[in-house]
Amino acid sequence: MSWSARLLDTRPLRSSHAFRDLWMASTLGSLGQQIAGVAVLAQVWDLTGSPGWTGAIGIATAVPILLFGLLGGTLADAADRRSVLRVTTAGHLLAGAALFAQAWAGNEHVVALLSLLAVQAAFGALGAPARRTIPVRLLPGDQVAAGLALQNVAFQASMLVGPALAGLVLAQWGFSAAYAIQAVAGTASLAAVVRLPPMPPIPLMPPGTRPDAAATEGAEGASRPRLRRPARGGWRVILRRPTLWGAFATDVSATVLAMPIALFPLVNEIRFDGDPRTLGLFLSAVAVGGITAGMFSGAVTRWRRGGAVQLTAASVWGLALAGFGLASPVWLALGCLAVAGAADTISVVTRGALVQLETPDAYRGRVSSVEHVVGVAGPELGNFRGGLLASFTSAPFALVSGGLMAAFGVAAVAATNRPLRTYRTPAPELPELPELPELNVRSERTS
């Protein structure tokens, strides 16, 4: 494989104009979201001076996601996904405009601020499943993983740039300017969503029915075959497909058992004298690792052994965090976090592609909603587990034991789930060649 093929695979940006527009708008939207997130944190602290209230930001965000995430999956499977995305993106934008208005008016009530944040999170959760299913409808099967890698790189870049930019904006112009940036970015995202092609749900066909039979009226005296309604919920599909439940079990093992973010302040205090610059470097190291892996993700997204890639990356994530728990020099600690960030990006991209390609379109919204909830709740539970364990033992013990347990959990999934271990993404579809007319030419032998 050439070096150019190992770099970030940009084929989706060339093959689909709609995906390119959506990717650019989503990148701006993610950057605006990061800036607004820092602004909310700073405004809550400014209003209350209480770490309890800053902790309540997590509740105001997580509860709507858990409540509305699964509902968003049902909407994505029952209605045109473009329509769902239009409505939820517009609602998210209006909530962002309300955040700007309360800052401009000098709001002094923290409950009002958190309520608006919860409304915005609810619209985001309702639209997230539909948004997750967009790349697989816009891109060829062999480019889905590359599209997800591009989205992940954009997200990691926004995590790296957004907080630093937010600090500059808040210092110069205050809270309202930060929320205004989010509103402008949200407007760009809505414009891209409006231009998407229609994406009506594709119903399941009765067994033995040709895919094109439902689209035609049939011959004389024949009636259109009835479409079979999909079963309730996405959990049934997940549990019946080893590749799907194995991918989710791998992610849960990695995040619930080894999420390190909650332990960063304590590790920084006991090993690096509580230097706030070091604490910031911890978060930056994870993002730098993720961006680096994304920029060289071409080799990963072109490799068809997606299940093996996810299992390997999740194991490396756990072992790297165990190494972070043992690292004393700051350079080694940052190196372990960078490796963990790179492994996390590879695992997320390969899991996302596998889930979208292995799920029938009629179920994609609901299965994607499960993926969204697992992706949000898993890290939060992992942070809670790590903080609780560290309060009874120590931060290094919580990190090392969590990382090793995560690697062991992933190994158990690999040992018991052969379909995931041997999973291969679909081969690129070759265009059908037109039939050539039969030539009436005598052979040389008979001439």
Side-chain angles (χ1 to χ4, degrees), residues 89-101 116-121 123 182:
T89 302
H92 193 276
L93 174 59
L94 290 175
L99 284 171
F100 164 76
L116 291 174
L117 182 64
V119 171
Q120 190 175 57
F123 277 111
Q182 182 198 31

Side-chain angles (χ1 to χ4, degrees), residues 201-236:
I202 301 176
L204 292 178
M205 301 298 299
T209 304
R210 295 195 318 273
D212 59 343
T216 61
E217 282 293 342
E220 244 180 79
S223 61
R224 178 183 296 183
R226 294 181 63 186
L227 300 179
R228 186 161 55 93
R229 296 176 65 87
R232 294 181 179 178
W235 285 106
R236 183 177 300 184

Side-chain angles (χ1 to χ4, degrees), residues 132 248 251-252 255 351 369-380:
R132 284 173 178 263
F248 285 125
D251 188 68
V252 169
T255 56
R351 184 203 70 215
S369 70
V370 174
E371 183 185 15
H372 179 65
V373 170
V374 167
V376 171
E380 294 298 332

Side-chain angles (χ1 to χ4, degrees), residues 23-38:
W23 178 79
M24 293 175 64
S26 298
T27 301
L28 289 175
S30 181
L31 181 62
Q33 194 71 13
Q34 291 291 329
I35 294 172
V38 175

